[in-house]
């Protein structure tokens, strides 16, 4: 009989390889066009179950009845800002494309079509050989918040980042069969 700390089980477990945190890419897909910016960090989406606690039983514990799946509203990606500010420009243009500019204050903030506001985010994970092994696809995503970037005299060799907080409707996780 083997124990969970048996060295052969540990070796077998890690011989399959493990996902390194720095092996990923983020793609933004808009009507067939794919944009890639360098990201320093990205969250893996989370989900939870909304449930109803059924307490009609006169004794014993409550029974929790699942009602629906819910996705986290906070999804942050940190992008590296290039010297030409193309990543910031991209998100500023995305914001501008989402809203119509009208002649009066009542028409200047109308949301344009769904196609101008929502895009698809693809987060691809790669193994140690550079082969894609899984992907998270976030559907109906849009940047709900561009967090402040900060210049600093204290860190002259650091690069500037832009943190974008996205909203999305749902995501799909797929595991690739092309693993080596």
């Amino acid at each position: 009989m083997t124990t969970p700390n048996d060295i052969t089980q540990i070796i077998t477990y890690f011989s399959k390889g493990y996902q390194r945190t720095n092996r990923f890419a983020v793609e933004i897909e808009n009507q067939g066009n794919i944009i890639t910016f360098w990201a320093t960090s990205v969250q893996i989406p989370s989900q939870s179950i909304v449930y109803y606690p059924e307490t009609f039983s006169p004794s014993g514990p409550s029974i929790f009845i699942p009602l629906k799946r819910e996705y986290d509203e906070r999804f942050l990606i940190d992008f590296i800002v290039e010297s030409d500010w193309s990543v910031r420009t991209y998100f500023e243009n995305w914001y501008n494309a989402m809203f119509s500019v009208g002649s009066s204050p009542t028409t200047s903030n109308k949301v344009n079509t769904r196609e101008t506001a929502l895009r698809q985010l693809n987060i691809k994970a790669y193994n140690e050989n550079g082969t894609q092994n899984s992907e998270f696809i976030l559907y109906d995503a849009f940047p709900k918040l561009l967090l402040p970037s900060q210049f600093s005299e204290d860190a002259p060799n650091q690069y500037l980042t832009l943190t974008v907080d996205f909203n999305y409707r749902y995501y799909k996780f797929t595991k690739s069969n092309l693993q080596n």
Side-chain angles (χ1 to χ4, degrees):
M1 179 172 188
T2 59
T3 63
N5 293 329
D6 182 15
I7 191 67
T8 57
Q9 283 188 329
I10 294 171
I11 290 170
T12 301
Y13 182 79
F14 282 104
S15 69
K16 294 185 283 186
Y18 52 91
Q19 181 63 53
R20 296 189 183 271
T21 59
N22 66 338
R23 305 277 181 158
F24 69 95
V26 176
E27 297 176 346
I28 303 169
E29 189 172 329
N30 182 24
Q31 300 174 355
N33 297 320
I34 295 177
I35 304 292
T36 303
F37 294 111
W38 287 102
T40 60
S41 67
V42 62
Q43 294 175 325
I44 294 175
S46 68
Q47 61 178 299
S48 61
I49 300 292
V50 176
Y51 59 87
Y52 172 77
E54 189 274 297
T55 57
F56 296 121
S57 176
S59 63
S62 296
I63 297 173
F64 298 103
I65 301 168
L67 297 176
K68 69 176 186 170
R69 182 187 318 227
E70 199 167 76
Y71 298 94
D72 191 3
E73 290 183 22
R74 181 143 242 178
F75 184 77
L76 301 171
I77 301 177
D78 291 328
F79 294 100
I80 296 173
V81 177
E82 308 92 333
S83 60
D84 66 356
W85 289 76
S86 57
V87 69
R88 180 70 188 221
T89 303
Y90 179 82
F91 287 105
E92 293 285 344
N93 289 340
W94 189 347
Y95 264 64
N96 292 339
M98 286 195 292
F99 298 98
S100 297
V101 178
S103 58
S104 72
T106 58
T107 61
S108 63
N109 289 322
K110 289 187 178 179
V111 177
N112 278 328
T113 63
R114 175 181 169 87
E115 290 76 27
T116 60
L118 305 178
R119 305 203 178 148
Q120 179 177 304
L121 292 177
N122 305 319
I123 301 151
K124 298 181 177 190
Y126 299 94
N127 66 15
E128 295 170 354
N129 300 325
T131 303
Q132 182 181 330
N133 58 16
S134 63
E135 182 175 24
F136 291 88
I137 302 172
L138 285 73
Y139 296 94
D140 296 344
F142 66 93
K144 72 176 177 182
L145 180 64
L146 302 180
L147 278 79
S149 296
Q150 184 172 339
F151 289 112
S152 174
E153 290 288 342
D154 295 339
N157 295 322
Q158 294 281 339
Y159 48 80
L160 189 66
T161 60
L162 171 65
T163 304
V164 181
D165 186 357
F166 288 93
N167 200 335
Y168 60 97
R169 178 165 305 282
Y170 67 99
Y171 75 85
K172 182 173 89 174
F173 170 72
T174 58
K175 184 177 167 188
S176 175
N177 293 330
L178 303 173
Q179 296 182 33
N180 291 337

